[in-house]
Amino acid sequence: MKISKKAAAVAPSATLKIDSAYKQMKASGLDVVGFGAGEPDFDTPAYIKDAAKKALDTGFTKYTPASGTADIKKAVAARMERKYGLKYDADQVIISNGAKHSLYNSIAAITDPGDEIIVIKPYWVTYPELIAMCGGKPVFVEAFEADSFIPKIEAIRSAITEKTIAIILNNPSNPCGCVYDKKTLEEIAELAKEFDLYVISDEIYDELDFNSEFISFPTISEDAKERTILVNGLSKSYAMTGWRIGYTLSSKAIAKAMSSMQSHMTSNPCSIAQFAGTAALEGPQDDLNAMIATFAERKNLICSLINDIDLISCVEPKGAFYVFANISKVKGKKLGDKEIRDSLEFADILLSEELVAVVPGAAFGNDDYIRLSYATSEENIKKGLGRIKDFCLKLK
Ligand code: PMP
Ligand code: GLU
């Protein structure tokens, strides 16, 4: 039977695929170490779970407005004001089923067939697929390790054509862990103004800027705010990956378009998760601060262990919870008679031989790398990197 061309063209999420292979191996009793999916290993804080129980006990189990409850919208807007001094009205906030859904809504709301959207490469695996699903064309701008993976403004400028409608930024970035400096953000804002582009700013890791100086894109200028669709969510900062709450802040016109689409596609996100999400945003932020401190320590540990391995290296990330490690020296080496020709083979052989799960850089558009998520315990980091070191020592 027929499968549409659009559906057939979609590749499954490599990050989720590796995560599910890892979870299956673990469930079957194997001592596998996972640096795969970016999922905090912490439990959702107790006060958030208590709020969910309250939602159940008080019967908060019915449809809510499709774009989210008034309470959670208010809590999101209040967070933006508290954290960044940004003022948004409730009707500029859309609550969706995870930030992935928010990204889909954002792209769908602005993309017509053939429109081009600039994506910085290495990119998060989902962006090109979502753009293609909306009939658009991702146009890649390469960022390099020597520049700490921050793209050159001239490279962005030269990728702009009369079909370009938007730039997607991911700050702090997955998979590179880079954090954009103010000057680069200002230059991007100027470029967006010059060519009248939207900026979709995916700031889902905004709490995870280890220098605590994170600059949210709409704070750059009033014009930048007007043209930004800001994407964020509760998955990472509150260890709520399974609850599926993401959100956007945008102009009212875009919010209205997204709300209409969502009202037909999914209706509201889970009422209980919205209730708990409101509590997450409004409650004590101590768990969050403790989590950030732990990630910073793990980042230092994993970087020193990676850079202690002869064949692999990494630049120190400034945010998020990923390291993008350079494996170019490993390519062409052999384990027995198995040659490692690319990042996929590196990840496959590492998983089967050493029981360590990493994501091949090819999934993010750069085959010279692998991504390791350090949203896992110090013990796992030491064990996993010990195995990677042994693995590299065996390569000839
Ligand atoms: N953006 C980036 C950069 C991510 O890494 C993720 C990871 N899940 C998401 C968006 C989507 O988050 P969510 O789980 O809320 O859909
Ligand atoms: N965003 C996380 C990652 O990149 C979780 C997996 C996913 O959503 O694809 O690993």
Side-chain angles (χ1 to χ4, degrees), residues 102-146:
S102 303
L103 280 162
Y104 175 80
N105 281 343
S106 309
I107 297 166
I110 59 172
T111 307
D112 283 315
D115 284 347
E116 295 179 359
I117 298 186
I118 292 179
V119 175
I120 312 302
K121 186 164 122 177
Y123 47 76
W124 181 48
V125 59
T126 291
Y127 300 142
E129 300 295 338
L130 289 183
I131 295 169
M133 280 162 70
C134 294
K137 182 180 163 213
V139 172
F140 300 107
V141 169
E142 184 107 32
F144 300 97
E145 187 176 335

mmCIF file of all heavy atoms in Angstrom, residues 102-146:
data_model
loop_
_atom_site.group_PDB
_atom_site.id
_atom_site.type_symbol
_atom_site.label_atom_id
_atom_site.label_comp_id
_atom_site.label_asym_id
_atom_site.label_seq_id
_atom_site.Cartn_x
_atom_site.Cartn_y
_atom_site.Cartn_z
ATOM 1 N N SER A 102 6.796 21.908 19.739
ATOM 2 C CA SER A 102 6.859 23.369 19.609
ATOM 3 C C SER A 102 7.658 23.751 18.361
ATOM 4 O O SER A 102 7.312 24.694 17.640
ATOM 5 C CB SER A 102 7.537 23.996 20.831
ATOM 6 O OG SER A 102 6.866 23.638 22.015
ATOM 7 N N LEU A 103 8.750 23.012 18.122
ATOM 8 C CA LEU A 103 9.567 23.292 16.935
ATOM 9 C C LEU A 103 8.784 22.999 15.663
ATOM 10 O O LEU A 103 8.820 23.758 14.701
ATOM 11 C CB LEU A 103 10.834 22.427 16.959
ATOM 12 C CG LEU A 103 11.954 22.932 17.863
ATOM 13 C CD1 LEU A 103 12.945 21.819 18.156
ATOM 14 C CD2 LEU A 103 12.664 24.119 17.200
ATOM 15 N N TYR A 104 8.072 21.898 15.681
ATOM 16 C CA TYR A 104 7.262 21.556 14.504
ATOM 17 C C TYR A 104 6.252 22.682 14.237
ATOM 18 O O TYR A 104 6.117 23.165 13.117
ATOM 19 C CB TYR A 104 6.548 20.206 14.684
ATOM 20 C CG TYR A 104 5.637 19.937 13.515
ATOM 21 C CD1 TYR A 104 6.159 19.444 12.318
ATOM 22 C CD2 TYR A 104 4.271 20.236 13.565
ATOM 23 C CE1 TYR A 104 5.343 19.249 11.209
ATOM 24 C CE2 TYR A 104 3.458 20.043 12.461
ATOM 25 C CZ TYR A 104 3.995 19.545 11.289
ATOM 26 O OH TYR A 104 3.196 19.365 10.186
ATOM 27 N N ASN A 105 5.543 23.077 15.282
ATOM 28 C CA ASN A 105 4.553 24.159 15.132
ATOM 29 C C ASN A 105 5.203 25.420 14.563
ATOM 30 O O ASN A 105 4.647 26.077 13.678
ATOM 31 C CB ASN A 105 3.949 24.537 16.491
ATOM 32 C CG ASN A 105 2.870 23.565 16.950
ATOM 33 O OD1 ASN A 105 2.340 22.801 16.156
ATOM 34 N ND2 ASN A 105 2.552 23.608 18.230
ATOM 35 N N SER A 106 6.394 25.739 15.097
ATOM 36 C CA SER A 106 7.069 26.976 14.675
ATOM 37 C C SER A 106 7.386 26.928 13.191
ATOM 38 O O SER A 106 7.156 27.890 12.457
ATOM 39 C CB SER A 106 8.390 27.161 15.433
ATOM 40 O OG SER A 106 8.190 27.026 16.803
ATOM 41 N N ILE A 107 7.940 25.795 12.763
ATOM 42 C CA ILE A 107 8.347 25.671 11.356
ATOM 43 C C ILE A 107 7.107 25.620 10.463
ATOM 44 O O ILE A 107 7.030 26.292 9.426
ATOM 45 C CB ILE A 107 9.264 24.438 11.172
ATOM 46 C CG1 ILE A 107 10.543 24.631 11.990
ATOM 47 C CG2 ILE A 107 9.595 24.202 9.707
ATOM 48 C CD1 ILE A 107 11.388 23.377 12.167
ATOM 49 N N ALA A 108 6.113 24.851 10.900
ATOM 50 C CA ALA A 108 4.887 24.711 10.089
ATOM 51 C C ALA A 108 4.165 26.052 9.935
ATOM 52 O O ALA A 108 3.541 26.317 8.898
ATOM 53 C CB ALA A 108 3.957 23.675 10.708
ATOM 54 N N ALA A 109 4.255 26.888 10.961
ATOM 55 C CA ALA A 109 3.518 28.158 10.929
ATOM 56 C C ALA A 109 4.090 29.141 9.911
ATOM 57 O O ALA A 109 3.402 30.075 9.490
ATOM 58 C CB ALA A 109 3.523 28.791 12.321
ATOM 59 N N ILE A 110 5.352 28.948 9.504
ATOM 60 C CA ILE A 110 5.965 29.964 8.624
ATOM 61 C C ILE A 110 6.409 29.419 7.263
ATOM 62 O O ILE A 110 6.820 30.190 6.410
ATOM 63 C CB ILE A 110 7.183 30.635 9.320
ATOM 64 C CG1 ILE A 110 8.263 29.596 9.693
ATOM 65 C CG2 ILE A 110 6.743 31.408 10.561
ATOM 66 C CD1 ILE A 110 9.565 30.225 10.201
ATOM 67 N N THR A 111 6.357 28.090 7.086
ATOM 68 C CA THR A 111 6.979 27.502 5.895
ATOM 69 C C THR A 111 5.982 27.157 4.798
ATOM 70 O O THR A 111 4.999 26.453 5.038
ATOM 71 C CB THR A 111 7.747 26.212 6.296
ATOM 72 O OG1 THR A 111 8.629 26.531 7.361
ATOM 73 C CG2 THR A 111 8.556 25.657 5.127
ATOM 74 N N ASP A 112 6.264 27.637 3.598
ATOM 75 C CA ASP A 112 5.542 27.201 2.397
ATOM 76 C C ASP A 112 6.495 26.335 1.584
ATOM 77 O O ASP A 112 7.716 26.423 1.751
ATOM 78 C CB ASP A 112 5.094 28.420 1.570
ATOM 79 C CG ASP A 112 3.873 29.080 2.189
ATOM 80 O OD1 ASP A 112 2.944 28.351 2.580
ATOM 81 O OD2 ASP A 112 3.866 30.324 2.314
ATOM 82 N N PRO A 113 5.940 25.507 0.675
ATOM 83 C CA PRO A 113 6.818 24.631 -0.105
ATOM 84 C C PRO A 113 7.942 25.422 -0.783
ATOM 85 O O PRO A 113 7.702 26.471 -1.380
ATOM 86 C CB PRO A 113 5.875 24.009 -1.142
ATOM 87 C CG PRO A 113 4.541 24.033 -0.471
ATOM 88 C CD PRO A 113 4.525 25.284 0.366
ATOM 89 N N GLY A 114 9.152 24.897 -0.656
ATOM 90 C CA GLY A 114 10.311 25.522 -1.317
ATOM 91 C C GLY A 114 11.005 26.577 -0.474
ATOM 92 O O GLY A 114 12.113 27.007 -0.806
ATOM 93 N N ASP A 115 10.395 27.007 0.617
ATOM 94 C CA ASP A 115 11.059 28.002 1.474
ATOM 95 C C ASP A 115 12.330 27.407 2.084
ATOM 96 O O ASP A 115 12.364 26.217 2.413
ATOM 97 C CB ASP A 115 10.122 28.427 2.625
ATOM 98 C CG ASP A 115 9.021 29.373 2.159
ATOM 99 O OD1 ASP A 115 9.117 29.894 1.031
ATOM 100 O OD2 ASP A 115 8.059 29.568 2.932
ATOM 101 N N GLU A 116 13.324 28.253 2.233
ATOM 102 C CA GLU A 116 14.592 27.776 2.798
ATOM 103 C C GLU A 116 14.774 28.262 4.236
ATOM 104 O O GLU A 116 14.452 29.409 4.554
ATOM 105 C CB GLU A 116 15.765 28.287 1.939
ATOM 106 C CG GLU A 116 15.740 27.701 0.542
ATOM 107 C CD GLU A 116 16.881 28.209 -0.339
ATOM 108 O OE1 GLU A 116 17.696 29.033 0.126
ATOM 109 O OE2 GLU A 116 16.934 27.770 -1.505
ATOM 110 N N ILE A 117 15.281 27.361 5.058
ATOM 111 C CA ILE A 117 15.581 27.715 6.455
ATOM 112 C C ILE A 117 17.042 27.370 6.730
ATOM 113 O O ILE A 117 17.492 26.256 6.431
ATOM 114 C CB ILE A 117 14.636 26.975 7.431
ATOM 115 C CG1 ILE A 117 13.189 27.403 7.154
ATOM 116 C CG2 ILE A 117 15.038 27.242 8.880
ATOM 117 C CD1 ILE A 117 12.148 26.870 8.122
ATOM 118 N N ILE A 118 17.759 28.326 7.270
ATOM 119 C CA ILE A 118 19.185 28.121 7.539
ATOM 120 C C ILE A 118 19.370 27.357 8.848
ATOM 121 O O ILE A 118 18.776 27.696 9.882
ATOM 122 C CB ILE A 118 19.927 29.467 7.562
ATOM 123 C CG1 ILE A 118 19.906 30.032 6.132
ATOM 124 C CG2 ILE A 118 21.355 29.312 8.084
ATOM 125 C CD1 ILE A 118 20.571 31.348 5.973
ATOM 126 N N VAL A 119 20.176 26.314 8.761
ATOM 127 C CA VAL A 119 20.439 25.447 9.903
ATOM 128 C C VAL A 119 21.954 25.409 10.110
ATOM 129 O O VAL A 119 22.701 25.163 9.164
ATOM 130 C CB VAL A 119 19.915 24.017 9.606
ATOM 131 C CG1 VAL A 119 20.281 23.055 10.727
ATOM 132 C CG2 VAL A 119 18.408 24.012 9.364
ATOM 133 N N ILE A 120 22.388 25.672 11.315
ATOM 134 C CA ILE A 120 23.829 25.646 11.601
ATOM 135 C C ILE A 120 24.255 24.186 11.810
ATOM 136 O O ILE A 120 23.610 23.448 12.555
ATOM 137 C CB ILE A 120 24.165 26.477 12.869
ATOM 138 C CG1 ILE A 120 23.504 27.877 12.832
ATOM 139 C CG2 ILE A 120 25.679 26.556 13.077
ATOM 140 C CD1 ILE A 120 23.842 28.741 11.666
ATOM 141 N N LYS A 121 25.340 23.825 11.142
ATOM 142 C CA LYS A 121 25.820 22.444 11.177
ATOM 143 C C LYS A 121 27.138 22.371 11.913
ATOM 144 O O LYS A 121 27.998 23.202 11.622
ATOM 145 C CB LYS A 121 26.001 22.001 9.719
ATOM 146 C CG LYS A 121 26.354 20.580 9.508
ATOM 147 C CD LYS A 121 26.106 20.208 8.067
ATOM 148 C CE LYS A 121 27.395 19.708 7.467
ATOM 149 N NZ LYS A 121 27.258 19.259 6.099
ATOM 150 N N PRO A 122 27.372 21.473 12.834
ATOM 151 C CA PRO A 122 26.527 20.395 13.320
ATOM 152 C C PRO A 122 25.189 20.893 13.879
ATOM 153 O O PRO A 122 25.148 21.900 14.604
ATOM 154 C CB PRO A 122 27.358 19.767 14.437
ATOM 155 C CG PRO A 122 28.771 20.171 14.169
ATOM 156 C CD PRO A 122 28.689 21.496 13.502
ATOM 157 N N TYR A 123 24.143 20.158 13.541
ATOM 158 C CA TYR A 123 22.782 20.542 13.932
ATOM 159 C C TYR A 123 22.173 19.448 14.783
ATOM 160 O O TYR A 123 22.599 18.290 14.746
ATOM 161 C CB TYR A 123 21.919 20.740 12.679
ATOM 162 C CG TYR A 123 22.052 19.610 11.676
ATOM 163 C CD1 TYR A 123 21.440 18.387 11.888
ATOM 164 C CD2 TYR A 123 22.833 19.759 10.524
ATOM 165 C CE1 TYR A 123 21.582 17.341 10.986
ATOM 166 C CE2 TYR A 123 22.982 18.716 9.615
ATOM 167 C CZ TYR A 123 22.360 17.510 9.861
ATOM 168 O OH TYR A 123 22.516 16.479 8.981
ATOM 169 N N TRP A 124 21.152 19.826 15.519
ATOM 170 C CA TRP A 124 20.397 18.788 16.227
ATOM 171 C C TRP A 124 19.608 18.009 15.186
ATOM 172 O O TRP A 124 18.973 18.594 14.308
ATOM 173 C CB TRP A 124 19.480 19.394 17.293
ATOM 174 C CG TRP A 124 18.731 18.322 18.025
ATOM 175 C CD1 TRP A 124 19.262 17.165 18.561
ATOM 176 C CD2 TRP A 124 17.333 18.278 18.283
ATOM 177 N NE1 TRP A 124 18.268 16.424 19.133
ATOM 178 C CE2 TRP A 124 17.083 17.070 18.985
ATOM 179 C CE3 TRP A 124 16.272 19.130 18.000
ATOM 180 C CZ2 TRP A 124 15.809 16.707 19.404
ATOM 181 C CZ3 TRP A 124 15.007 18.777 18.426
ATOM 182 C CH2 TRP A 124 14.783 17.570 19.115
ATOM 183 N N VAL A 125 19.662 16.699 15.313
ATOM 184 C CA VAL A 125 19.176 15.741 14.324
ATOM 185 C C VAL A 125 17.762 16.021 13.779
ATOM 186 O O VAL A 125 17.472 15.744 12.610
ATOM 187 C CB VAL A 125 19.286 14.315 14.965
ATOM 188 C CG1 VAL A 125 18.468 14.211 16.235
ATOM 189 C CG2 VAL A 125 18.945 13.213 14.037
ATOM 190 N N THR A 126 16.929 16.616 14.603
ATOM 191 C CA THR A 126 15.518 16.776 14.230
ATOM 192 C C THR A 126 15.238 17.960 13.296
ATOM 193 O O THR A 126 14.256 17.946 12.550
ATOM 194 C CB THR A 126 14.682 16.871 15.543
ATOM 195 O OG1 THR A 126 14.728 15.575 16.167
ATOM 196 C CG2 THR A 126 13.240 17.247 15.328
ATOM 197 N N TYR A 127 16.094 18.994 13.311
ATOM 198 C CA TYR A 127 15.757 20.198 12.529
ATOM 199 C C TYR A 127 15.553 19.926 11.033
ATOM 200 O O TYR A 127 14.527 20.338 10.479
ATOM 201 C CB TYR A 127 16.822 21.295 12.693
ATOM 202 C CG TYR A 127 17.025 21.795 14.104
ATOM 203 C CD1 TYR A 127 18.295 22.112 14.574
ATOM 204 C CD2 TYR A 127 15.950 21.984 14.971
ATOM 205 C CE1 TYR A 127 18.498 22.577 15.862
ATOM 206 C CE2 TYR A 127 16.150 22.441 16.263
ATOM 207 C CZ TYR A 127 17.429 22.740 16.693
ATOM 208 O OH TYR A 127 17.619 23.203 17.961
ATOM 209 N N PRO A 128 16.532 19.275 10.358
ATOM 210 C CA PRO A 128 16.332 19.102 8.906
ATOM 211 C C PRO A 128 15.081 18.280 8.590
ATOM 212 O O PRO A 128 14.377 18.573 7.620
ATOM 213 C CB PRO A 128 17.588 18.347 8.451
ATOM 214 C CG PRO A 128 18.571 18.496 9.554
ATOM 215 C CD PRO A 128 17.821 18.729 10.804
ATOM 216 N N GLU A 129 14.797 17.295 9.434
ATOM 217 C CA GLU A 129 13.620 16.449 9.179
ATOM 218 C C GLU A 129 12.325 17.246 9.326
ATOM 219 O O GLU A 129 11.413 17.124 8.524
ATOM 220 C CB GLU A 129 13.601 15.255 10.150
ATOM 221 C CG GLU A 129 14.807 14.341 10.051
ATOM 222 C CD GLU A 129 14.932 13.606 8.716
ATOM 223 O OE1 GLU A 129 13.921 13.452 8.012
ATOM 224 O OE2 GLU A 129 16.063 13.206 8.387
ATOM 225 N N LEU A 130 12.258 18.071 10.362
ATOM 226 C CA LEU A 130 11.033 18.864 10.564
ATOM 227 C C LEU A 130 10.832 19.851 9.418
ATOM 228 O O LEU A 130 9.712 20.051 8.946
ATOM 229 C CB LEU A 130 11.089 19.640 11.889
ATOM 230 C CG LEU A 130 10.980 18.840 13.183
ATOM 231 C CD1 LEU A 130 10.971 19.779 14.381
ATOM 232 C CD2 LEU A 130 9.726 17.978 13.200
ATOM 233 N N ILE A 131 11.923 20.448 8.971
ATOM 234 C CA ILE A 131 11.815 21.416 7.862
ATOM 235 C C ILE A 131 11.296 20.690 6.619
ATOM 236 O O ILE A 131 10.359 21.150 5.955
ATOM 237 C CB ILE A 131 13.183 22.092 7.588
ATOM 238 C CG1 ILE A 131 13.593 22.944 8.788
ATOM 239 C CG2 ILE A 131 13.129 22.938 6.310
ATOM 240 C CD1 ILE A 131 15.030 23.439 8.751
ATOM 241 N N ALA A 132 11.879 19.513 6.339
ATOM 242 C CA ALA A 132 11.430 18.747 5.163
ATOM 243 C C ALA A 132 9.974 18.320 5.325
ATOM 244 O O ALA A 132 9.194 18.368 4.362
ATOM 245 C CB ALA A 132 12.344 17.544 4.965
ATOM 246 N N MET A 133 9.597 17.932 6.541
ATOM 247 C CA MET A 133 8.201 17.517 6.768
ATOM 248 C C MET A 133 7.229 18.662 6.484
ATOM 249 O O MET A 133 6.073 18.441 6.144
ATOM 250 C CB MET A 133 8.019 17.031 8.214
ATOM 251 C CG MET A 133 8.488 15.606 8.434
ATOM 252 S SD MET A 133 8.774 15.219 10.183
ATOM 253 C CE MET A 133 7.138 15.196 10.825
ATOM 254 N N CYS A 134 7.702 19.888 6.640
ATOM 255 C CA CYS A 134 6.845 21.055 6.390
ATOM 256 C C CYS A 134 6.988 21.556 4.954
ATOM 257 O O CYS A 134 6.482 22.634 4.616
ATOM 258 C CB CYS A 134 7.185 22.172 7.367
ATOM 259 S SG CYS A 134 6.788 21.740 9.063
ATOM 260 N N GLY A 135 7.699 20.805 4.110
ATOM 261 C CA GLY A 135 7.830 21.188 2.699
ATOM 262 C C GLY A 135 8.950 22.181 2.427
ATOM 263 O O GLY A 135 9.114 22.661 1.307
ATOM 264 N N GLY A 136 9.719 22.509 3.458
ATOM 265 C CA GLY A 136 10.808 23.473 3.288
ATOM 266 C C GLY A 136 12.122 22.785 2.953
ATOM 267 O O GLY A 136 12.195 21.557 2.843
ATOM 268 N N LYS A 137 13.160 23.624 2.804
ATOM 269 C CA LYS A 137 14.479 23.079 2.467
ATOM 270 C C LYS A 137 15.499 23.588 3.491
ATOM 271 O O LYS A 137 15.674 24.806 3.627
ATOM 272 C CB LYS A 137 14.852 23.560 1.063
ATOM 273 C CG LYS A 137 16.170 23.014 0.575
ATOM 274 C CD LYS A 137 16.479 23.520 -0.829
ATOM 275 C CE LYS A 137 17.942 23.307 -1.100
ATOM 276 N NZ LYS A 137 18.535 24.313 -1.957
ATOM 277 N N PRO A 138 16.150 22.651 4.204
ATOM 278 C CA PRO A 138 17.201 23.120 5.115
ATOM 279 C C PRO A 138 18.448 23.518 4.317
ATOM 280 O O PRO A 138 18.841 22.816 3.391
ATOM 281 C CB PRO A 138 17.503 21.881 5.976
ATOM 282 C CG PRO A 138 16.994 20.708 5.211
ATOM 283 C CD PRO A 138 15.959 21.199 4.240
ATOM 284 N N VAL A 139 19.016 24.660 4.650
ATOM 285 C CA VAL A 139 20.262 25.096 4.001
ATOM 286 C C VAL A 139 21.307 25.175 5.116
ATOM 287 O O VAL A 139 21.105 25.878 6.110
ATOM 288 C CB VAL A 139 20.077 26.475 3.327
ATOM 289 C CG1 VAL A 139 21.409 27.011 2.821
ATOM 290 C CG2 VAL A 139 19.074 26.357 2.191
ATOM 291 N N PHE A 140 22.383 24.398 4.954
ATOM 292 C CA PHE A 140 23.318 24.240 6.059
ATOM 293 C C PHE A 140 24.465 25.245 6.014
ATOM 294 O O PHE A 140 25.013 25.528 4.955
ATOM 295 C CB PHE A 140 23.885 22.820 6.065
ATOM 296 C CG PHE A 140 22.802 21.784 6.228
ATOM 297 C CD1 PHE A 140 22.412 20.981 5.160
ATOM 298 C CD2 PHE A 140 22.133 21.641 7.430
ATOM 299 C CE1 PHE A 140 21.398 20.049 5.290
ATOM 300 C CE2 PHE A 140 21.105 20.713 7.578
ATOM 301 C CZ PHE A 140 20.748 19.914 6.509
ATOM 302 N N VAL A 141 24.791 25.753 7.176
ATOM 303 C CA VAL A 141 25.965 26.622 7.321
ATOM 304 C C VAL A 141 26.883 25.933 8.317
ATOM 305 O O VAL A 141 26.497 25.682 9.464
ATOM 306 C CB VAL A 141 25.562 28.019 7.844
ATOM 307 C CG1 VAL A 141 26.797 28.823 8.242
ATOM 308 C CG2 VAL A 141 24.752 28.760 6.803
ATOM 309 N N GLU A 142 28.077 25.620 7.855
ATOM 310 C CA GLU A 142 28.997 24.828 8.684
ATOM 311 C C GLU A 142 29.673 25.691 9.754
ATOM 312 O O GLU A 142 30.119 26.801 9.480
ATOM 313 C CB GLU A 142 30.048 24.220 7.745
ATOM 314 C CG GLU A 142 31.016 23.293 8.417
ATOM 315 C CD GLU A 142 30.750 21.828 8.060
ATOM 316 O OE1 GLU A 142 30.300 21.558 6.933
ATOM 317 O OE2 GLU A 142 31.005 20.978 8.927
ATOM 318 N N ALA A 143 29.726 25.151 10.961
ATOM 319 C CA ALA A 143 30.508 25.799 12.027
ATOM 320 C C ALA A 143 31.620 24.828 12.415
ATOM 321 O O ALA A 143 31.417 23.616 12.387
ATOM 322 C CB ALA A 143 29.626 26.094 13.225
ATOM 323 N N PHE A 144 32.772 25.380 12.771
ATOM 324 C CA PHE A 144 33.954 24.526 12.942
ATOM 325 C C PHE A 144 34.457 24.490 14.386
ATOM 326 O O PHE A 144 34.300 25.462 15.133
ATOM 327 C CB PHE A 144 35.073 25.014 12.017
ATOM 328 C CG PHE A 144 34.664 24.969 10.563
ATOM 329 C CD1 PHE A 144 34.185 26.122 9.931
ATOM 330 C CD2 PHE A 144 34.710 23.782 9.855
ATOM 331 C CE1 PHE A 144 33.776 26.081 8.599
ATOM 332 C CE2 PHE A 144 34.298 23.727 8.523
ATOM 333 C CZ PHE A 144 33.831 24.875 7.892
ATOM 334 N N GLU A 145 35.104 23.370 14.682
ATOM 335 C CA GLU A 145 35.656 23.170 16.029
ATOM 336 C C GLU A 145 36.642 24.293 16.383
ATOM 337 O O GLU A 145 36.658 24.775 17.512
ATOM 338 C CB GLU A 145 36.352 21.798 16.080
ATOM 339 C CG GLU A 145 36.817 21.416 17.459
ATOM 340 C CD GLU A 145 37.425 20.016 17.519
ATOM 341 O OE1 GLU A 145 37.105 19.149 16.693
ATOM 342 O OE2 GLU A 145 38.242 19.812 18.434
ATOM 343 N N ALA A 146 37.434 24.735 15.393
ATOM 344 C CA ALA A 146 38.432 25.785 15.654
ATOM 345 C C ALA A 146 37.757 27.079 16.129
ATOM 346 O O ALA A 146 38.383 27.900 16.798
ATOM 347 C CB ALA A 146 39.232 26.049 14.385
#
